[in-house]
Amino acid sequence: MNKETFGKKLFYLDGLRGLAAFAVVISHYIQVFYPAALSGRVEQSHSAWDTWYGISPINLFYNGQFAVCLFFVLSGYVLSVKMYEEELDSETFLKLLRSSALRRYIRLAVPAAISVLLVYLAIITNAVHLQDIWDTTWTDMKKDYYALNTNIYTVIKAAIYDPFFRFEAHPYNPVLWTMSYELLGSFLIFGFLSLFGRVKKRWIVYLVLSIALIQTYFVAFLWGMLLADLLKHKWVQSKILKALVLLVGIYLGSAPYTSLLGTMYAPIEVLIKSINKWGQTDIDPRLLARTLGSALILFALLRSKVLQHVFGWKPFVYLGQISFSLYLIHFTFLNTFSAFLFSKVIQYFSYNLAYAFTFLVSMVPLFIFSHYYMKYIDQGALKLARKVERKITI
């Protein structure tokens, strides 16, 4: 795999990452404005369709947990794919591994920390308006930002420590719960590669770790790395088989938030419950389905020129370039600008029209803000990480 080939892969992988990030954005807007699509409770419905599309494959487009699983599988693949190049000698292999490990925390921490400071700024300027629309939207998301501790030490700790070493919802920016998995999942990859990356029988380690991590998000990183390891070989070229893998991936990835029983996804829950009973485990059927679905979709993408062309479309690639920034700031934007806008337009329009107007108008400043966040914060973090690496390794 030469640099040119790897570069082409990154374009369509960026496209996939970008669409996953946008799915997270949609999921949180759905959570606030159409909660029945996630909860399945008729009393929270704003239209007759809410509970229906929540249990159909359509929910793949706003299934936040599926998108997160896809992020983690992609991270496992991208962080390891260059390490499995056959041309790498041992010295280059260890150099690349060390470089990735040294830069990882700074690369993630700087954009995450700034996103926390934006929430702090919104609180002290009374810019959060989520509470203004609770009674109108019937959402379960009733987070009181004004009750948060705004002591400067608490905010700094929430910016640089909590996102990476607390495996729970972040008090200021809830989307940062993924950062702890992203950081430690990255070091799971680095540790595996350093210990077993060139061991011939590493398949045994993959199997053991898959069993050990099957109840956690970390298995997504492992399976992403496994794809990088396996797909350097030219196997699975059948168009029918690739299409089947993609369809199964979509089916598993779109497992809804509500009970799977009584839906087309019932076989997933029945099978996993049987496994749990037999193995005395507590595997979450939805998490496992979405993780496996993510891995299968990435597998199909890596084997399909047609899919690579679709996801390599320039707007999707651009979406991937701003995906981390979009992911970090959209929740705060939703609770400030979008909530305020909706609280005003609902006085003049029907509910569905007010939401459509709010969403479409909100996307314009959100994407502009994400662009400059990527340009100055995200890219700045990458430059800083490289400088720190050079200082350390001199």
Side-chain angles (χ1 to χ4, degrees):
M1 184 185 299
N2 56 36
K3 290 182 179 180
E4 182 181 357
T5 303
F6 186 70
K8 289 180 180 178
K9 284 182 178 293
L10 286 180
F11 284 118
Y12 57 74
L13 293 181
D14 277 347
L16 181 62
R17 184 185 294 107
L19 290 172
F22 194 54
V24 173
V25 174
I26 296 174
S27 75
H28 286 132
Y29 276 83
I30 292 291
Q31 186 179 2
V32 170
F33 295 102
Y34 291 96
L38 296 178
S39 68
R41 297 199 294 271
V42 177
E43 61 270 21
Q44 290 181 304
S45 297
H46 292 283
S47 74
W49 297 96
D50 291 2
T51 54
W52 175 79
Y53 61 73
I55 57 172
S56 74
I58 293 174
N59 89 88
L60 185 77
F61 297 104
Y62 67 87
N63 194 313
Q65 190 185 57
F66 161 73
V68 166
C69 291
L70 193 52
F71 287 150
F72 293 162
V73 172
L74 274 168
S75 290
Y77 179 84
V78 172
L79 289 173
S80 60
V81 66
K82 287 202 292 187
M83 305 301 179
Y84 283 123
E85 292 182 11
E86 294 180 1
E87 297 84 358
L88 291 180
D89 55 57
S90 297
E91 183 180 352
T92 305
F93 178 85
L94 291 175
K95 184 179 179 180
L96 283 172
L97 192 59
R98 182 182 64 183
S99 175
S100 297
L102 287 174
R103 288 185 280 123
R104 195 60 176 163
Y105 173 75
I106 295 174
R107 190 268 173 276
L108 295 173
V110 172
I114 299 299
S115 77
V116 173
L117 297 182
L118 289 177
V119 179
Y120 172 73
L121 181 63
I123 293 173
I124 64 174
T125 58
N126 295 313
V128 180
H129 295 278
L130 178 63
Q131 68 283 352
D132 298 341
I133 61 174
W134 286 345
D135 295 335
T136 307
T137 63
W138 306 328
T139 181
D140 293 322
M141 190 190 295
K142 295 185 176 180
K143 184 176 179 61
D144 185 359
Y145 282 89
Y146 294 111
L148 291 173
N149 185 349
T150 54
N151 173 276
I152 192 64
Y153 169 78
T154 303
V155 174
I156 292 174
K157 177 175 175 290
I160 63 176
Y161 176 83
D162 290 348
F164 302 98
F165 304 103
R166 287 177 44 152
F167 290 89
E168 55 188 68
H170 192 276
Y172 289 83
N173 189 1
V175 302
L176 292 181
W177 71 268
T178 61
M179 292 298 101
S180 53
Y181 288 99
E182 191 67 54
L183 181 65
L184 296 184
S186 299
F187 280 92
L188 168 67
I189 299 298
F190 301 146
F192 183 100
L193 290 170
S194 62
L195 293 173
F196 309 108
R198 301 218 157 177
V199 175
K200 288 185 178 180
K201 295 185 178 180
R202 57 183 176 275
W203 318 114
I204 299 173
V205 185
Y206 278 121
L207 178 60
V208 171
L209 286 179
S210 291
I211 295 171
L213 300 173
I214 196 68
Q215 300 179 75
T216 74
Y217 284 101
F218 290 116
V219 76
F221 293 91
L222 184 71
W223 289 349
M225 179 172 55
L226 178 60
L227 285 177
D229 199 353
L230 290 175
L231 294 186
K232 64 178 182 286
H233 303 296
K234 300 297 181 182
W235 56 284
V236 186
Q237 299 296 327
S238 167
K239 292 182 179 180
I240 296 176
L241 185 56
K242 286 183 284 190
L244 181 61
V245 169
L246 177 63
L247 290 174
V248 173
I250 292 172
Y251 168 73
L252 293 173
S254 61
Y257 285 89
T258 56
S259 174
L260 305 185
L261 297 176
T263 71
M264 62 183 292
Y265 302 94
I268 298 172
E269 188 153 341
V270 172
L271 177 61
I272 299 303
K273 283 186 174 180
S274 298
I275 294 173
N276 284 337
K277 185 177 180 180
W278 174 77
Q280 298 299 304
T281 54
D282 189 26
I283 300 171
D284 181 348
R286 294 165 192 78
L287 177 57
L288 180 58
R290 292 162 184 163
T291 305
L292 184 56
S294 299
L296 292 177
I297 289 172
L298 179 57
F299 178 96
L301 175 61
L302 293 169
R303 276 291 185 260
S304 171
K305 296 294 183 183
V306 174
L307 289 178
Q308 289 169 15
H309 180 73
V310 171
F311 285 96
W313 189 39
K314 286 185 178 180
F316 291 163
V317 173
Y318 174 74
L319 195 57
Q321 292 170 351
I322 66 169
S323 60
F324 191 36
S325 300
L326 184 67
Y327 177 81
L328 290 175
I329 66 176
H330 79 274
F331 199 82
T332 303
F333 197 85
L334 164 60
N335 292 326
T336 53
F337 179 86
S338 297
F340 174 77
L341 180 61
F342 183 80
S343 70
K344 300 304 178 184
V345 298
I346 191 61
Q347 301 175 36
Y348 306 100
F349 302 112
S350 67
Y351 188 90
N352 291 331
L353 188 58
Y355 168 72
F357 180 83
T358 298
F359 182 81
L360 292 174
V361 171
S362 295
M363 291 304 104
V364 177
L366 175 58
F367 272 75
I368 293 173
F369 194 14
S370 297
H371 173 84
Y372 286 102
Y373 200 93
M374 175 272 293
K375 186 175 181 179
Y376 295 107
I377 308 300
D378 194 19
Q379 294 297 322
L382 287 170
K383 293 177 182 177
L384 178 61
R386 294 190 187 102
K387 288 181 180 179
V388 171
E389 180 195 357
R390 286 195 294 268
K391 292 289 185 181
I392 293 175
T393 55
I394 288 177

